[in-house]
Amino acid sequence: YLLGKALADLGRENEALTSFQTAAQLDPRMPEPDYAMSQIYLKQGKLDLARQYVQSYKEKKLRSGQP
């Protein structure tokens, strides 16, 4: 996940997405990669994907009991 954040900060969005996807696969309960992916997709104008990942983020947050 942190690698994805670093890559996103450097503007390397496709690599960041790959890193976030890997993080999400390694820990499917972790909501942060989904939120990060939603932000990249929003920036790229891919609104349907952004919406999908925001929804997944919200669901994971609810399940985890995090505020």
Side-chain angles (χ1 to χ4, degrees):
Y1 169 72
L2 294 177
L3 174 60
K5 284 186 67 162
L7 290 166
D9 289 344
L10 292 171
R12 295 164 61 178
E13 294 174 349
N14 290 333
E15 292 170 273
L17 285 170
T18 299
S19 181
F20 291 135
Q21 290 165 348
T22 299
Q25 290 172 350
L26 291 172
D27 186 355
R29 297 168 296 165
M30 185 178 182
E32 291 83 4
D34 289 353
Y35 181 78
M37 287 187 282
S38 76
Q39 297 307 293
I40 292 174
Y41 285 129
L42 181 64
K43 185 177 177 183
Q44 292 177 342
K46 298 177 181 177
L47 302 182
D48 288 337
L49 282 171
R51 208 172 287 119
Q52 172 187 332
Y53 281 102
V54 165
Q55 184 62 37
S56 178
Y57 166 77
K58 289 179 180 179
E59 290 169 5
K60 289 178 182 182
K61 290 281 278 189
L62 281 174
R63 276 187 245 130
S64 72
Q66 295 179 20

